Amino acid sequence: MRLLYTLILYISLPLVLLRLYWRSLKNPQYRQRIPERFGRLSLPALKGSLWLHTVSVGETQAAEPLVRRLQEQFPGLPIVLTTTTPTGSDRVKRLFGDSVIHAYFPYDLPFAIKGFLKTLQPRLLVMMETEVWPNLLALCEQHSIPTILANARLSERSARGYARLGPFTRETFGRIGLVAAQSPADAERFLGLGLGSDRVRVTGSIKFDVRLPASLKEQGEALRRTWEGRPVWVAASTREGEDEQILDAHRKVLRALPEALLVLVPRHPERFDKVALLCQREGFTSARRTTGESCGPDIQVLLGDTMGELTLFLAAADVAFVGGSLVPTGGHNVLEPAALGLPVVFGPHMFNFSMISRMLLVEGAALEVTNTEALAEVIIEWLSDASLRARFGENGLRVVEANRGALDRLFDIISGYLEAG
C-alpha cells in the first residue's frame, strides 16, 4: 500500500509544483529554496540533531517555549525547525534568529526524505499536532530514529478518514514511537487507529502554556490610545470566504455603535491586498497598518496586514472573533485572546480546537455563533457592556491558568529520549 501511495505522489508531483508556482505568484517566497523541499540542504552534515517539525505560524508560536527550554537544557544540541510555509519560516527567524536551523519540510518522497536524514542525522524527530507522513515514518524506523507526535490532536472527522484506509493507516500510525495527545478523546482516537496503549500518553495542550510578554498589555494600551478610546473588536486569522461575513457583521455593528472599529487580520499575507480591495468595494473607510495611516474616528476598518502583530491587536481590543470558524477550515487558536482576558466568539467550525473551544464554552469564557446576524448581536452586546466583557474574560483567564503544565510533561518526554540517546 505504501508503494501505491508513493507512486501516486510521484504522479502528482507536476501538480504539486504547479501549485507551488501558483502560490508564488502571490507570495514570491514560495519560489525560494525549492531544493530543500526535495531533501537538498545547503548545510554541512549535522550529527545528532533534534528535528522539530512545526508546520506553520501557529505551531511554531506554540513550540517557542519548548524550544527555549531545550536550548537551555541542551546547549550543544543542534535544533532544526522545519515548516511548510514562508510565513512559518519568517516566524522561526523572528523568534529564534540563527540559534536554530530552519529548512522547508521535504515532500514525502523516499529520495527527498533520505537526503534530509543524511544531512540532519537526527537523534529524534518531533512532529507537532497532526503531521503523519508514511514514508518519513518508515525511513525513520529503518534508520532507528525515534519519533514523537507531540501536542497531538485528531478530530473525529480525521479519525474516520484515516480508518477508511484500514491496514495502511495501522501500519503508518504503528511506526510512531510515542503520541503525546492533547486530550483523552484524542488519545482514544489514536488508540482506535491501532497504536498500543504503551505508546499513547495524554499530556494536554501546550497552547495553554502560552506566555505573553510582560510588556504586551502596555504596548496594547499605547496602541489603543491612538484609536482614541473607541470600542474595538478584532477578527483574527480570517480565511477565504470569511471576510465578507465579518464585514457584513461589522456593518450591523456600526448601525448600533457608529464609533466602533474593526481590526481585520487575514490569516495569510498573500490575501492582504485582496481583502483591502474588498473593504473598499464594500464601502468601508479603511486603513492599512503597513502604510502607517492615521486610524482616526472616520476609519471603520483597520486592516492588520503585518506579520507578528496579532497579539498586539488583541491586547488593544475589547473583543476577539477567532477566524477559520465561519467557514469549514477548523478554526484557529482561541487561547491567545483568552490569555489576554478577552471575551472570545467563534463560528461553528472549530473541529481543530474542539476540546479547547468546548472548555471555553462550558466555562462561560466564549460564545459560538452560526451566522453574521448572531455575530453582530454578540459584538454589540459585548462592546456595550464592560462588566459582561470582564466576566467572560476572567473566565477565560481561569481556564488557561487551570490547564497549564502540558509543556512540562512534553519537555520531560523529549528530554528522556535525548538523554537516553
Side-chain angles (χ1 to χ4, degrees):
M1 187 69 171
R2 187 164 65 89
L3 183 61
L4 176 60
Y5 161 81
T6 303
L7 179 61
I8 292 171
L9 283 185
Y10 276 115
I11 293 172
S12 304
L13 199 54
L15 293 177
V16 171
L17 292 173
L18 184 62
R19 183 172 182 269
L20 197 65
Y21 172 74
W22 180 81
R23 298 189 77 175
S24 76
L25 296 178
K26 297 181 180 179
N27 186 344
Q29 290 187 66
Y30 277 101
R31 288 197 294 271
Q32 299 169 4
R33 300 161 60 188
I34 288 178
E36 292 179 9
R37 299 183 188 270
F38 291 95
R40 298 175 62 87
L41 301 174
S42 56
L43 295 170
L46 303 173
K47 187 174 182 180
S49 66
L50 169 64
W51 179 4
L52 180 60
H53 179 46
T54 58
V55 192
S56 192
V57 174
E59 295 83 1
T60 302
Q61 190 71 46
E64 180 191 6
L66 174 64
V67 174
R68 301 284 186 203
R69 193 176 297 187
L70 287 166
Q71 289 176 321
E72 292 174 7
Q73 186 72 23
F74 302 94
L77 175 69
I79 298 178
V80 179
L81 263 66
T82 54
T83 64
T84 58
T85 65
T87 53
S89 172
D90 290 343
R91 184 54 57 92
V92 169
K93 287 185 168 55
R94 183 186 295 268
L95 290 175
F96 305 111
D98 296 328
S99 68
V100 303
I101 299 165
H102 174 268
Y104 283 118
F105 186 74
Y107 295 131
D108 197 35
L109 300 165
F111 79 90
I113 300 296
K114 287 177 182 177
F116 225 75
L117 295 179
K118 182 178 180 181
T119 301
L120 297 188
Q121 299 179 35
R123 60 201 287 192
L124 176 65
L125 167 62
V126 179
M127 304 162 288
M128 298 296 290
E129 301 207 1
T130 53
E131 289 295 291
V132 179
W133 297 100
N135 285 323
L136 172 62
L137 290 169
L139 287 166
C140 282
E141 182 180 68
Q142 183 180 320
H143 289 83
S144 301
I145 300 167
T147 55
I148 299 173
L149 189 61
N151 208 43
R153 56 182 172 84
L154 188 65
S155 68
E156 290 183 19
R157 186 169 73 172
S158 295
R160 287 195 299 269
Y162 281 124
R164 293 190 191 103
L165 299 176
F168 182 51
T169 290
R170 289 192 294 275
E171 175 187 295
T172 298
F173 278 78
R175 291 191 166 107
I176 302 173
L178 181 72
V179 171
Q182 292 190 18
S183 72
D186 291 309
E188 285 297 326
R189 293 180 195 121
F190 281 109
L191 291 170
L193 294 178
L195 274 87
S197 58
D198 60 326
R199 286 191 287 145
V200 179
R201 299 187 200 174
V202 178
T203 55
S205 172
I206 64 172
K207 290 184 176 178
F208 281 107
D209 291 288
V210 58
R211 297 290 180 186
L212 299 171
S215 61
L216 183 60
K217 287 228 170 183
E218 188 176 308
Q219 293 171 7
E221 289 171 4
L223 178 58
R224 187 178 178 83
R225 283 195 293 271
T226 69
W227 299 339
E228 302 178 9
R230 303 165 62 188
V232 179
W233 67 293
V234 172
S237 300
T238 59
R239 303 293 288 266
E240 188 81 34
E242 204 166 37
D243 305 289
E244 294 86 349
Q245 299 181 66
I246 296 299
L247 291 173
D248 185 37
H250 190 52
R251 185 175 286 108
K252 294 175 173 62
V253 171
L254 288 172
R255 290 183 194 136
L257 300 168
E259 72 279 18
L261 173 66
L262 165 64
V263 182
L264 180 56
V265 188
R267 174 73 170 180
H268 297 117
E270 56 265 31
R271 295 184 52 244
F272 289 160
D273 290 341
K274 181 179 179 180
V275 177
L277 289 172
L278 175 66
C279 292
Q280 294 175 16
R281 191 168 65 246
E282 292 293 321
F284 291 93
T285 56
S286 59
R288 299 182 65 157
R289 174 71 169 169
T290 50
T291 65
E293 300 171 67
S294 173
C295 189
D298 60 316
I299 297 298
Q300 298 167 319
V301 179
L302 174 63
L303 181 63
D305 57 346
T306 54
M307 296 302 297
E309 286 198 309
L310 178 56
T311 52
L312 174 62
F313 297 141
L314 291 170
D318 298 300
V319 175
F321 166 79
V322 175
S325 60
L326 284 173
V327 291
T329 55
H332 294 296
N333 187 6
V334 292
L335 291 178
E336 282 186 343
L340 283 163
L342 289 182
V344 179
V345 59
F346 44 75
H349 304 288
M350 286 294 291
F351 51 83
N352 286 337
F353 294 86
S354 56
M355 176 197 72
I356 294 173
S357 60
R358 283 198 304 269
M359 290 173 67
L360 292 178
L361 290 171
V362 168
E363 295 299 326
L367 288 177
E368 179 181 306
V369 296
T370 57
N371 53 51
T372 56
E373 289 77 12
L375 175 60
E377 288 175 9
V378 170
I379 298 299
I380 291 168
E381 184 178 21
W382 279 349
L383 290 181
S384 304
D385 191 336
S387 62
L388 183 62
R389 292 198 307 269
R391 185 162 72 248
F392 273 81
E394 288 165 6
N395 291 342
L397 282 170
R398 189 173 63 251
V399 171
V400 172
E401 289 298 326
N403 288 277
R404 293 190 189 276
L407 180 64
D408 292 333
R409 291 186 282 274
L410 182 57
F411 176 77
D412 288 344
I413 290 170
I414 293 174
S415 295
Y417 275 86
L418 294 174
E419 289 165 355

Coordinates of all heavy atoms in Angstrom, one line a residue, residues 220-268:
G220 N -0.3 47.4 24.1 CA -1.6 47.4 23.6 C -2.4 48.6 24.0 O -3.1 49.2 23.3
E221 N -2.1 49.1 25.3 CA -2.8 50.3 25.8 C -2.3 51.5 25.0 O -3.0 52.4 24.7 CB -2.5 50.5 27.3 CG -3.3 49.4 28.1 CD -2.8 49.5 29.6 OE1 -1.9 50.3 29.9 OE2 -3.3 48.7 30.4
A222 N -1.0 51.5 24.6 CA -0.4 52.6 23.9 C -1.1 52.7 22.5 O -1.4 53.7 22.0 CB 1.1 52.5 23.8
L223 N -1.2 51.5 21.9 CA -1.9 51.5 20.5 C -3.3 51.9 20.7 O -3.8 52.7 19.8 CB -1.8 50.0 20.0 CG -2.5 49.8 18.6 CD1 -1.9 50.7 17.5 CD2 -2.3 48.3 18.2
R224 N -4.0 51.5 21.7 CA -5.4 51.8 21.9 C -5.6 53.3 22.0 O -6.6 53.9 21.6 CB -5.9 51.1 23.1 CG -7.4 51.2 23.3 CD -8.0 50.4 24.5 NE -9.4 50.6 24.6 CZ -10.3 50.0 23.9 NH1 -10.0 49.1 23.1 NH2 -11.6 50.3 24.1
R225 N -4.6 54.0 22.7 CA -4.7 55.4 22.8 C -4.7 56.1 21.5 O -5.4 57.2 21.3 CB -3.6 55.9 23.7 CG -3.8 55.7 25.2 CD -2.9 56.5 26.1 NE -1.5 56.1 25.9 CZ -0.9 55.2 26.6 NH1 -1.6 54.5 27.5 NH2 0.4 54.9 26.4
T226 N -4.1 55.6 20.5 CA -4.0 56.2 19.2 C -5.4 56.0 18.5 O -5.7 56.7 17.5 CB -3.0 55.6 18.3 OG1 -3.3 54.2 17.9 CG2 -1.6 55.6 19.0
W227 N -6.2 55.1 19.0 CA -7.6 54.9 18.5 C -8.6 55.7 19.2 O -9.8 55.5 19.0 CB -7.9 53.4 18.5 CG -7.0 52.5 17.6 CD1 -6.2 52.9 16.6 CD2 -6.8 51.1 17.8 NE1 -5.6 51.9 16.1 CE2 -5.9 50.7 16.8 CE3 -7.3 50.1 18.6 CZ2 -5.5 49.4 16.6 CZ3 -6.9 48.8 18.5 CH2 -6.0 48.5 17.5
E228 N -8.1 56.5 20.2 CA -8.9 57.5 20.9 C -10.1 56.8 21.7 O -11.2 57.3 21.8 CB -9.5 58.5 19.9 CG -8.4 59.2 19.2 CD -8.9 60.3 18.2 OE1 -10.1 60.5 18.2 OE2 -8.1 60.8 17.4
G229 N -9.8 55.6 22.3 CA -10.8 55.0 23.2 C -12.0 54.5 22.6 O -13.0 54.3 23.3
R230 N -12.0 54.2 21.3 CA -13.2 53.7 20.6 C -13.4 52.2 21.0 O -12.4 51.5 21.3 CB -13.0 53.8 19.1 CG -12.7 55.2 18.6 CD -12.2 55.2 17.2 NE -13.1 54.6 16.2 CZ -12.9 54.3 15.0 NH1 -11.7 54.6 14.5 NH2 -13.8 53.9 14.2
P231 N -14.6 51.7 20.9 CA -14.9 50.3 21.1 C -14.3 49.5 19.9 O -14.5 49.9 18.7 CB -16.4 50.1 21.1 CG -16.9 51.4 20.5 CD -15.9 52.5 20.7
V232 N -13.5 48.5 20.2 CA -12.7 47.8 19.2 C -12.9 46.3 19.2 O -12.9 45.7 20.3 CB -11.2 48.1 19.4 CG1 -10.4 47.4 18.3 CG2 -10.9 49.6 19.3
W233 N -13.2 45.7 18.1 CA -13.1 44.2 18.0 C -12.2 43.8 16.9 O -12.0 44.4 15.9 CB -14.5 43.6 17.9 CG -15.3 43.9 16.6 CD1 -15.8 45.1 16.1 CD2 -15.7 42.9 15.6 NE1 -16.4 44.9 14.9 CE2 -16.4 43.6 14.6 CE3 -15.5 41.5 15.5 CZ2 -17.0 42.9 13.5 CZ3 -16.1 40.8 14.4 CH2 -16.8 41.5 13.4
V234 N -11.5 42.6 17.2 CA -10.5 42.1 16.3 C -11.1 40.8 15.7 O -11.6 39.9 16.4 CB -9.2 41.7 17.0 CG1 -8.3 41.0 16.1 CG2 -8.5 43.0 17.5
A235 N -11.0 40.7 14.4 CA -11.4 39.4 13.7 C -10.0 38.8 13.3 O -9.3 39.3 12.4 CB -12.2 39.7 12.4
A236 N -9.6 37.8 14.0 CA -8.3 37.2 14.0 C -8.2 36.0 13.0 O -9.0 35.1 13.1 CB -7.8 36.9 15.4
S237 N -7.2 36.1 12.2 CA -6.9 34.9 11.3 C -8.0 34.5 10.4 O -8.4 33.3 10.4 CB -6.4 33.7 12.2 OG -5.2 34.1 12.9
T238 N -8.6 35.4 9.8 CA -9.8 35.1 8.9 C -9.3 34.4 7.6 O -8.2 34.6 7.2 CB -10.5 36.4 8.5 OG1 -9.6 37.3 7.8 CG2 -11.1 37.1 9.7
R239 N -10.2 33.6 7.1 CA -9.9 32.8 5.9 C -10.7 33.2 4.7 O -11.7 33.9 4.9 CB -10.1 31.3 6.3 CG -9.3 30.8 7.5 CD -7.8 30.8 7.2 NE -7.4 29.7 6.3 CZ -7.0 28.5 6.7 NH1 -6.9 28.2 7.9 NH2 -6.7 27.6 5.7
E240 N -10.4 32.6 3.6 CA -11.1 32.9 2.3 C -12.6 32.6 2.5 O -13.0 31.6 3.1 CB -10.6 32.0 1.2 CG -11.1 32.3 -0.1 CD -10.4 33.5 -0.8 OE1 -9.2 33.7 -0.6 OE2 -11.1 34.2 -1.6
G241 N -13.5 33.5 2.1 CA -14.9 33.3 2.3 C -15.4 33.8 3.6 O -16.7 33.8 3.8
E242 N -14.6 34.3 4.5 CA -15.0 34.7 5.8 C -15.0 36.2 6.0 O -15.8 36.7 6.7 CB -14.0 34.1 6.8 CG -14.6 33.9 8.2 CD -13.7 33.0 9.1 OE1 -12.5 33.1 9.0 OE2 -14.3 32.3 9.9
D243 N -14.1 36.9 5.2 CA -14.0 38.3 5.4 C -15.3 39.0 5.0 O -15.7 40.0 5.6 CB -12.9 38.8 4.5 CG -11.6 38.2 4.8 OD1 -11.0 38.4 5.9 OD2 -11.1 37.3 4.0
E244 N -16.0 38.5 4.0 CA -17.3 39.1 3.6 C -18.3 39.0 4.7 O -19.0 40.0 5.0 CB -17.8 38.4 2.3 CG -17.0 38.6 1.1 CD -15.9 37.6 0.9 OE1 -15.6 36.9 1.9 OE2 -15.3 37.5 -0.1
Q245 N -18.3 37.9 5.4 CA -19.2 37.7 6.5 C -18.8 38.7 7.7 O -19.7 39.2 8.3 CB -19.2 36.3 7.0 CG -19.6 35.3 5.9 CD -19.6 33.9 6.5 OE1 -20.4 33.5 7.4 NE2 -18.7 33.0 5.9
I246 N -17.5 38.8 7.9 CA -17.1 39.7 9.0 C -17.5 41.2 8.7 O -18.0 41.9 9.6 CB -15.6 39.6 9.2 CG1 -15.2 38.2 9.6 CG2 -15.1 40.7 10.2 CD1 -15.7 37.8 10.9
L247 N -17.3 41.6 7.5 CA -17.7 43.0 7.1 C -19.2 43.2 7.2 O -19.7 44.2 7.6 CB -17.1 43.3 5.7 CG -15.6 43.4 5.6 CD1 -15.2 43.5 4.1 CD2 -15.1 44.5 6.4
D248 N -19.9 42.2 6.8 CA -21.4 42.2 6.9 C -21.8 42.4 8.4 O -22.7 43.2 8.7 CB -22.0 41.0 6.3 CG -23.5 41.1 6.3 OD1 -24.1 42.2 6.0 OD2 -24.2 40.0 6.5
A249 N -21.2 41.7 9.3 CA -21.4 41.8 10.7 C -21.0 43.2 11.2 O -21.8 43.8 12.0 CB -20.7 40.7 11.5
H250 N -19.9 43.7 10.7 CA -19.4 45.0 11.2 C -20.4 46.1 10.7 O -20.6 47.1 11.4 CB -18.0 45.3 10.7 CG -17.4 46.5 11.3 ND1 -17.3 46.7 12.6 CD2 -16.8 47.6 10.7 CE1 -16.7 47.9 12.9 NE2 -16.4 48.4 11.7
R251 N -21.0 45.9 9.5 CA -21.9 46.9 9.1 C -23.1 47.0 10.0 O -23.6 48.1 10.4 CB -22.4 46.5 7.7 CG -23.4 47.6 7.0 CD -23.7 47.2 5.6 NE -22.6 47.5 4.7 CZ -21.9 46.5 4.1 NH1 -22.1 45.2 4.4 NH2 -20.9 46.8 3.3
K252 N -23.5 45.9 10.5 CA -24.6 45.8 11.5 C -24.2 46.4 12.9 O -25.0 47.1 13.6 CB -25.1 44.4 11.7 CG -25.8 43.8 10.5 CD -26.1 42.3 10.7 CE -26.9 41.7 9.6 NZ -26.2 41.8 8.3
V253 N -22.9 46.2 13.2 CA -22.4 46.7 14.5 C -22.4 48.3 14.4 O -22.7 49.0 15.4 CB -21.0 46.2 14.8 CG1 -20.3 47.0 15.9 CG2 -21.0 44.7 15.1
L254 N -22.0 48.8 13.2 CA -21.9 50.2 13.1 C -23.2 50.9 13.2 O -23.3 52.1 13.6 CB -21.2 50.6 11.7 CG -19.7 50.3 11.6 CD1 -19.2 50.5 10.2 CD2 -18.9 51.2 12.6
R255 N -24.3 50.2 12.8 CA -25.6 50.8 13.0 C -26.0 51.1 14.4 O -26.6 52.1 14.8 CB -26.7 49.9 12.4 CG -26.6 49.8 10.8 CD -27.7 48.9 10.3 NE -27.5 48.6 8.9 CZ -27.6 47.4 8.4 NH1 -28.0 46.4 9.1 NH2 -27.3 47.2 7.1
A256 N -25.5 50.2 15.3 CA -25.8 50.4 16.7 C -24.7 51.2 17.4 O -25.0 51.9 18.4 CB -25.9 49.0 17.4
L257 N -23.4 51.0 17.0 CA -22.3 51.7 17.6 C -21.4 52.3 16.5 O -20.4 51.8 16.0 CB -21.4 50.7 18.4 CG -22.1 49.9 19.5 CD1 -21.3 48.8 20.0 CD2 -22.4 50.9 20.7
P258 N -21.8 53.5 16.0 CA -21.2 54.1 14.9 C -19.7 54.4 15.0 O -18.9 54.5 14.1 CB -21.9 55.5 14.7 CG -23.2 55.3 15.4 CD -22.9 54.3 16.5
E259 N -19.2 54.5 16.3 CA -17.8 54.7 16.5 C -16.9 53.5 16.6 O -15.7 53.5 16.8 CB -17.6 55.5 17.9 CG -17.9 54.7 19.1 CD -19.4 54.5 19.5 OE1 -20.2 54.7 18.6 OE2 -19.7 54.2 20.6
A260 N -17.6 52.3 16.4 CA -16.8 51.0 16.6 C -15.8 50.9 15.5 O -15.9 51.3 14.3 CB -17.8 49.8 16.5
L261 N -14.6 50.2 15.9 CA -13.5 49.9 14.9 C -13.4 48.4 14.8 O -13.3 47.7 15.8 CB -12.3 50.6 15.4 CG -11.0 50.2 14.7 CD1 -11.0 50.8 13.2 CD2 -9.7 50.8 15.4
L262 N -13.3 47.9 13.6 CA -12.9 46.5 13.4 C -11.5 46.5 12.9 O -11.1 47.2 12.0 CB -13.8 46.0 12.3 CG -13.4 44.6 11.6 CD1 -13.4 43.5 12.6 CD2 -14.2 44.3 10.4
V263 N -10.7 45.6 13.6 CA -9.3 45.3 13.1 C -9.4 43.9 12.5 O -9.6 42.9 13.2 CB -8.3 45.3 14.3 CG1 -6.9 45.0 13.8 CG2 -8.4 46.6 15.1
L264 N -9.2 43.9 11.2 CA -9.4 42.7 10.4 C -8.0 42.2 10.0 O -7.2 42.8 9.4 CB -10.2 43.1 9.1 CG -10.5 41.9 8.1 CD1 -11.2 40.8 8.8 CD2 -11.3 42.5 7.0
V265 N -7.7 40.9 10.5 CA -6.4 40.3 10.3 C -6.5 39.0 9.5 O -6.8 38.0 10.1 CB -5.7 40.1 11.7 CG1 -4.3 39.7 11.5 CG2 -5.8 41.3 12.6
P266 N -6.3 39.1 8.2 CA -6.4 37.8 7.4 C -5.3 36.8 7.9 O -4.2 37.3 8.3 CB -6.2 38.3 6.0 CG -6.6 39.7 6.0 CD -6.1 40.2 7.4
R267 N -5.5 35.6 7.7 CA -4.6 34.5 8.1 C -3.3 34.5 7.3 O -2.2 34.4 7.8 CB -5.3 33.2 8.1 CG -4.4 32.0 8.4 CD -4.0 31.9 9.8 NE -3.3 30.6 10.1 CZ -2.9 30.3 11.3 NH1 -3.1 31.1 12.3 NH2 -2.3 29.1 11.6
H268 N -3.5 34.7 6.0 CA -2.4 34.6 5.0 C -2.0 35.9 4.4 O -2.9 36.6 3.9 CB -2.7 33.5 4.0 CG -3.0 32.2 4.5 ND1 -4.2 31.5 4.4 CD2 -2.1 31.3 5.2 CE1 -4.1 30.3 5.0 NE2 -2.9 30.2 5.5

